[in-house]
Amino acid sequence: MLDVLLMLVVLAAAAGLGFVTIRRVPPMLHTPLMSMTNAISGVVILGALLLFSVPGNGFEQVLGGIALAAAAFNVVGGFVITDRMLGFFTHKRPVDGEAHEQ
Amino acid sequence: MTAKMIDLGIVLVLLLGVVWFRSVRTARLGNLTAALALGCAVVVVLLRHPVSPVAFLVAFALLGTVAGGSLARRISMVGIPAMVALQNGLGGLASFVVSFVELARGANLAGSSNEIAALLGIIVGAATFSGSLVAAGRLSRWLAQRPTVFRHHSLMLAGLAALALLLMVLALPSSHPLTQQVIGLALIVVAGALGVVLSIRVGGADMPVLISFLNAGSGVAAAFCGLSIGNWLLIAAGAMVGVSGMILTQVMCQAMNRRLANILAGGAALGQLAESLPPADPPSPAGQEAITEAAPKAGQEPVTEAAATAQSVDPFTRALDLVRSAQRIIIVPGYGMALAEAQEEVSRLADKLSGMGRDVTFAIHPVAGRMPGHMHVLLAEAEVDYGMIRELQDVNPQFAVTDLALIVGACDVVNPAATQRKDTPISGMPILQAHEAKSVIVCNLDDRPGYSGVENPLYQDPKTVLLLGDAKETVGRLLEQLG
């Protein structure tokens, strides 16, 4: 019971902290944000790996393999594409007197 | 307990990455930090739990890594919404598969609360998976852009949701692994159908909302999966992604002044509206869909309508004069610009005008493009300086003191009907007030309405010059003639 309670606390804390930080991400970064969070949701790769920490039948192994490949796609693809996109954002010349960094 | 502390530490590093993501200058570092956190998480899990068969695992992990990495390096920014939709779907897939195997094994799930979480993980994951595949199909143009509405669509949706709940309740009391497996499989089918029915009714300009919503779904599914196996990292990371997706969904809804439920259910209203238009009408912003159909009919409408000012002068010459004489220029890009692949030309035009000492800025509507922030990355890829980009609330007061609003492939987001009329699907939607500029040039494929199907009175305005046709060509000509 304590375990469940702790997990719910972790859930609520992460959601709360996520809300206050992510709310402040500027619109300019919304597409990279989404591809980075796609990579983060690839965290389920841990769940896929854990499936193989106990012996399982062939059916379970194939399913686990599919989950592993999908999650790895997200982690690698997500971070790579986010990095590539952020590399496009350049700021060459100053824009006279205007606040542009927000 | 130390194990939990390490997990917590990894979550904090992940959070730090998100914190750094709030500024353009540190975002790249933030992304790398988040990647580092996830890498550590994988290493930690592998150290704690020996896995086998190793060769099998390496093969599948490599498959995903190579596919994801190579696609991420090649895809164009026009294709990015489809890629993100696909990733939302794969996140859902991984979550529901893991949840299902854990449920089917039964033994690993400590109590009924874990079981509930696994069942919810299956529902949310499978619905996100199938819904995202539909969205990815639409965004990569394998599916038609207008929404598909089934007969009794809402009833179907409600029925599938009720069926999913019923299956969940049935699954709970039985602890026999075989029963659980059968119910779990049935749940996957039902939730998968639910996802399709939900997202197939959304199309065109409403895609940014759907894609954000599915993004939230992939996070929530991961969090449920984490709850079912008691893994803090999964719970925390999943919750963060879920919240992020929900924030973006909210931002998109506000930008259109609509409710989420209205978009998921009311896409139907827009779709019907679009269908009532002439059959050849492509229902995308600026109707840039059928680029090949570009008819050189420029000059007909504006001349009959436009004032006695310059009837004999062709629109292009008038537009060129306007560009030459304007000191303050705001460029309004829309999704039509991306479809015409005119970003490069637009970027070079902006550079040239800036070089001539003009004050040039870009005005971006939050829902321009097919996902949140899409227009920003499209312009960034075309090497537009992000210092030139303005958001809706900052730029709107500027239009009144602007000589020229240059619209490229945008329609609904500059349609004054949204604020002037009360009976249209876009009424109440905040728009870029391009009509307040002293003069307006519209470089759209045609003068048909945008995705909403609402006529744009801006096109009839005497101060507007319509340059109809392929925007890449039009802007290229302007660039050339400016000399």
Side-chain angles (χ1 to χ4, degrees):
Chain A
M1 200 57 218
L2 183 69
D3 264 5
V4 177
L5 219 60
L6 266 176
M7 286 198 289
L8 291 178
V9 169
V10 170
L11 181 81
L17 284 171
F19 181 76
V20 291
T21 46
I22 296 165
R23 205 165 46 119
R24 305 269 304 277
V25 173
M28 184 184 293
L29 294 177
H30 278 169
T31 293
L33 171 70
M34 211 186 262
S35 64
M36 182 182 75
T37 54
N38 264 331
I40 295 177
S41 78
V43 70
V44 72
I45 197 169
L46 304 181
L49 287 171
L50 286 170
L51 289 179
F52 292 91
S53 62
V54 291
N57 59 34
F59 179 56
E60 289 169 3
Q61 287 197 342
V62 170
L63 285 181
I66 292 173
L68 184 64
F73 182 99
N74 266 9
V75 173
V76 177
F79 285 126
V80 168
I81 204 163
T82 308
D83 188 63
R84 208 184 119 210
M85 253 190 277
L86 291 171
F88 290 141
F89 285 96
T90 50
H91 192 25
K92 290 163 279 188
R93 60 193 109 77
V95 177
D96 25 48
E98 300 219 46
H100 37 72
E101 180 64 38
Q102 35 187 318
Chain B
M1 208 57 218
T2 46
K4 293 287 186 217
M5 286 299 125
I6 293 173
D7 283 6
L8 222 51
I10 293 176
V11 171
L12 288 178
V13 175
L14 192 65
L15 193 67
L16 184 67
V18 176
V19 168
W20 274 333
F21 214 80
R22 296 183 304 177
S23 158
V24 186
R25 275 176 300 186
T26 52
R28 221 167 169 180
L29 180 65
N31 185 50
L32 288 177
T33 309
L36 178 77
L38 235 61
C40 288
V42 170
V43 172
V44 165
V45 162
L46 288 178
L47 287 177
R48 276 185 214 155
H49 307 271
V51 292
S52 66
V54 175
F56 180 83
L57 286 172
V58 169
F60 274 93
L62 243 125
L63 177 74
T65 302
V66 171
S70 62
L71 200 59
R73 236 168 291 147
R74 277 185 297 124
I75 196 133
S76 77
M77 291 302 113
V78 178
I80 199 96
M83 169 88 175
V84 166
L86 177 68
Q87 288 190 307
N88 286 338
L90 291 179
L93 171 75
S95 293
F96 89 72
V97 168
V98 173
S99 300
F100 172 73
V101 176
E102 291 289 354
L103 183 79
R105 282 181 177 170
N108 289 347
L109 298 187
S112 65
S113 58
N114 300 59
E115 212 176 312
I116 295 173
L119 289 164
L120 286 171
I122 292 176
I123 295 177
V124 179
T128 303
F129 171 63
S130 63
S132 296
L133 288 192
V134 172
R138 230 192 257 300
L139 289 164
S140 57
R141 327 206 125 242
W142 287 350
L143 293 174
Q145 295 305 293
R146 55 181 75 160
T148 311
V149 184
F150 299 133
R151 200 179 291 185
H152 308 305
H153 205 119
S154 300
L155 202 67
M156 264 167 87
L157 206 60
L160 286 167
L163 197 56
L165 273 179
L166 181 71
L167 283 170
M168 224 180 111
V169 174
L170 281 177
L172 285 178
S174 79
S175 52
H176 193 278
L178 192 68
T179 328
Q180 295 280 39
Q181 250 174 51
V182 172
I183 294 181
L185 280 175
L187 207 49
I188 290 173
V189 173
V190 171
L194 185 73
V196 172
V197 173
L198 187 78
S199 66
I200 205 158
R201 195 158 54 164
V202 183
D206 289 337
M207 291 311 285
V209 175
L210 180 65
I211 196 173
S212 308
F213 185 65
L214 292 168
N215 185 231
S218 77
V220 171
F224 278 135
C225 183
L227 284 169
S228 78
I229 59 174
N231 186 304
W232 284 17
L233 272 165
L234 245 75
I235 298 171
M240 270 192 240
V241 177
V243 165
S244 172
M246 284 175 207
I247 291 172
L248 291 176
T249 308
Q250 194 51 36
V251 170
M252 291 299 103
C253 284
Q254 275 169 0
M256 296 201 284
N257 190 37
R258 291 171 72 192
R259 287 172 186 280
L260 176 63
N262 172 267
I263 288 163
L264 294 179
L270 275 186
Q272 280 150 9
L273 229 154
E275 266 154 39
S276 69
L277 294 163
D281 186 33
S284 84
Q288 291 266 7
E289 225 110 32
I291 287 161
T292 47
E293 283 175 26
K297 56 176 176 173
Q300 292 167 8
E301 288 84 354
V303 173
T304 51
E305 178 70 29
T309 46
Q311 276 178 344
S312 53
V313 184
D314 81 297
F316 185 80
T317 314
R318 284 168 61 206
L320 197 61
D321 286 343
L322 286 175
V323 175
R324 282 211 173 105
S325 60
Q327 181 54 37
R328 300 194 62 169
I329 303 165
I330 298 181
I331 302 176
V332 183
Y335 189 57
M337 178 191 75
L339 287 174
E341 293 175 25
Q343 301 93 294
E344 286 292 328
E345 282 74 11
V346 171
S347 169
R348 274 168 37 212
L349 183 67
D351 270 351
K352 171 161 258 173
L353 290 167
S354 296
M356 291 161 73
R358 312 298 170 75
D359 178 3
V360 185
T361 48
F362 283 86
I364 298 190
H365 193 280
V367 294
R370 281 294 181 266
M371 67 181 290
H374 190 199
M375 200 53 66
H376 295 89
V377 291
L378 285 167
L379 291 177
E381 189 186 29
E383 297 184 353
V384 170
D385 190 320
Y386 67 73
M388 294 170 83
I389 292 173
R390 301 284 179 277
E391 305 300 329
L392 184 128
Q393 64 275 19
D394 303 324
V395 80
N396 262 345
Q398 304 291 320
F399 278 110
V401 292
T402 292
D403 302 316
L404 172 65
L406 177 63
I407 296 165
V408 185
C411 182
D412 286 336
V413 297
V414 290
N415 191 340
T419 49
Q420 290 162 359
R421 286 173 56 187
K422 289 210 155 57
D423 55 345
T424 73
I426 53 170
S427 292
M429 176 172 108
I431 56 155
L432 289 165
Q433 289 162 349
H435 59 279
E436 293 196 343
K438 289 197 191 76
S439 56
V440 178
I441 298 176
V442 179
C443 303
N444 283 1
L445 181 66
D446 51 42
D447 58 356
R448 293 197 188 110
Y451 176 72
S452 71
V454 182
E455 290 283 343
N456 194 338
L458 187 61
Y459 295 170
Q460 315 297 333
D461 197 314
K463 71 179 172 189
T464 303
V465 179
L466 288 177
L467 295 182
L468 303 179
D470 183 10
K472 188 183 178 77
E473 216 170 278
T474 315
V475 178
R477 262 182 81 199
L478 279 175
L479 196 60
E480 202 175 291
Q481 298 289 316
L482 267 176

